[in-house]
Amino acid sequence: MTSSFEVNINKDKCKGCQLCIFFCPAKHLKLSSDLNKKGVKYVAKKEASKCSGCGFCFLICPDYCIEIYESENI
Amino acid sequence: MPNKTRPASLKNISTHYCSGCGHGILHRLVAEVIDEMKLSEKTIGVAPVGCAVVAYDYWDFDVCEAAHGRALAVATGIKRCRPQNVVFTYQGDGDLVSIGLAETFHTANRGENLTCIFINNACYGMTGGQMAPTTLVGQPTATTPWGRNPKSGEGWPVKLSEILATLSGVAFAVRSTISSPREVIKTREYIKKAFSNQIENKGFSIIEVLSPCPTIWQKSPINAMKWIDEEMVKTFPLGVIKDK
Ligand SMILES: Cc1ncc(C[n+]2csc(CCOP(=O)(O)OP(=O)(O)O)c2C)c(N)n1
């Protein structure tokens, strides 16, 4: 049994501080090229890489835009 | 590790804080601890004057607002009238150490059974970055543009947690930071301990948290976190100062 993790990003709450991108050990996050409702470049997931569920992005995000869910694959 | 979702005691709205501000992280930690300890129906917070003045808009439990610096005086009144409630204050360095120092010192000295969360960002954030008692030597601010200089009468950084730790009424004094995920987890544990102390009637607990203010420090959010680790901790060493 393995688990996979789903990172949920609420892009309109993001203020583009990039702390999550800096602290993500898997380098799973990147800055978007377009703007959100606040008018800033927001954080987005990279397509190819995989989240290990460490939660660093959730812990350091000052704006509660990131939530991580675990799903079990059997 | 706790849940990686927004705690129920934190409303699902965007805060007014600047990008990379530490207040957001600390609001979440307080809400997480209150939810974990199942205290949301019992807690009364006291909000400060400073950037966190509208903290009551973000937390989904009872919060009262105090005049600048007087949060601990208000909290004393609430706790004495309603000892069954868990009462905490959430205050910045300008609020707690500058204008409110008399209230802070005497509340701690009386050993009031309260929890005080002290957000030390080494400046007055809300009013435009003036010097705070906690400003580092050499740190430029709006009122010390060439850097704080003790020799020209601006004094030295006040280490409030160490000072309060000398008082018999203080049960727990600790300094931590939120400069990395690891430190965030530690800070969460300290906040939890401070709330447990209050439930066990141990007396006054203070958690000082070194928190970034990228806007006033004129640094990127990442460099602000690095500045805490490289510069701020030299003046304000981390760790438990007193645990009675
Ligand atoms: C009696 C009174 N004096 C002065 C002010 C102006 N004032 C508002 S916030 C503040 C400083 C807040 O700094 P701090 O407590 O460090 O909080 P931060 O904004 O950095 O989070 C001051 C001096 C006020 N609101 N009321």
Side-chain angles (χ1 to χ4, degrees):
Chain A
M1 199 178 76
T2 56
S3 328
S4 62
F5 296 90
E6 189 52 41
V7 187
N8 242 346
I9 299 171
N10 184 336
K11 69 171 196 184
D12 287 322
K13 272 193 187 174
C14 180
K15 295 174 189 159
C17 73
Q18 304 180 40
L19 288 171
C20 53
I21 301 180
F22 181 77
F23 283 108
C24 175
K27 298 287 163 236
H28 180 52
L29 302 168
K30 63 172 185 188
L31 207 61
S32 70
S33 45
D34 56 332
L35 306 178
N36 66 7
K37 273 193 195 151
K38 288 192 200 295
V40 297
K41 290 188 174 174
Y42 55 92
V43 62
K45 289 177 274 189
K46 283 186 192 163
E47 294 306 328
S49 62
K50 209 163 169 257
C51 170
S52 64
C54 71
F56 280 13
C57 54
F58 167 77
L59 285 168
I60 207 76
C61 176
D63 296 295
Y64 336 123
C65 355
I66 303 183
E67 293 190 317
I68 301 171
Y69 297 94
E70 186 172 355
S71 54
E72 280 177 0
N73 316 321
I74 302 169
Chain B
M1 180 151 157
N3 275 348
K4 292 163 200 156
T5 52
R6 181 180 54 82
S9 289
L10 197 63
K11 292 181 196 161
N12 191 13
I13 49 176
S14 204
T15 65
H16 72 289
Y17 298 118
C18 305
S19 173
C21 173
H23 279 304
I25 300 176
L26 279 155
H27 283 12
R28 194 194 69 232
L29 292 183
V30 171
E32 272 178 8
V33 168
I34 285 172
D35 282 357
E36 189 187 325
M37 298 175 78
K38 301 200 168 44
L39 294 175
S40 63
E41 295 298 317
K42 268 180 84 176
T43 303
I44 303 175
V46 184
V49 170
C51 287
V53 66
V54 291
Y56 44 76
D57 278 348
Y58 306 135
W59 283 320
D60 207 358
F61 44 77
D62 290 334
V63 184
C64 174
E65 177 61 53
H68 200 10
R70 275 71 201 191
L72 280 168
V74 173
T76 300
I78 297 174
K79 184 73 184 179
R80 288 191 178 189
C81 297
R82 302 185 61 87
Q84 71 275 25
N85 285 97
V86 172
V87 183
F88 77 93
T89 67
Y90 181 101
Q91 300 176 263
D93 40 14
D95 198 71
L96 192 79
V97 195
S98 203
I99 192 167
L101 186 61
E103 282 77 3
T104 305
F105 192 86
H106 290 291
T107 306
N109 190 40
R110 292 191 305 266
E112 299 288 346
N113 192 24
L114 294 168
T115 302
C116 171
I117 300 169
F118 165 27
I119 294 79
N120 180 352
N121 59 7
C123 64
Y124 286 9
M126 186 200 213
T127 43
Q130 293 82 358
M131 190 190 91
T134 47
T135 296
L136 305 191
V137 171
Q139 180 187 338
T141 66
T143 42
T144 57
W146 296 278
R148 182 179 193 171
N149 182 1
K151 293 206 178 94
S152 58
E154 288 145 18
W156 282 265
V158 175
K159 298 180 186 173
L160 185 76
S161 298
E162 278 89 343
I163 295 170
L164 295 189
T166 62
L167 303 174
S168 306
V170 175
F172 183 56
V174 64
R175 185 179 293 112
S176 73
T177 177
I178 46 172
S179 62
S180 69
R182 181 169 159 251
E183 300 296 334
V184 172
I185 295 175
K186 269 198 205 163
T187 302
R188 189 182 187 283
E189 289 309 308
Y190 292 141
I191 295 176
K192 206 166 136 187
K193 176 150 173 54
F195 277 109
S196 316
N197 283 352
Q198 187 177 149
I199 292 165
E200 292 162 22
N201 282 315
K202 284 197 176 167
F204 190 84
S205 302
I206 179 166
I207 313 124
E208 172 174 348
V209 186
L210 307 183
S211 173
C213 181
T215 304
I216 299 297
W217 296 355
Q218 301 186 4
K219 292 181 175 21
S220 73
I222 294 162
N223 285 341
M225 293 298 198
K226 286 186 183 156
W227 192 74
I228 294 179
D229 287 340
E230 287 160 12
E231 296 299 326
M232 243 180 132
V233 296
K234 287 186 200 156
T235 305
F236 297 111
L238 305 179
V240 177
I241 299 158
K242 183 175 187 183
D243 187 5
K244 206 160 73 173

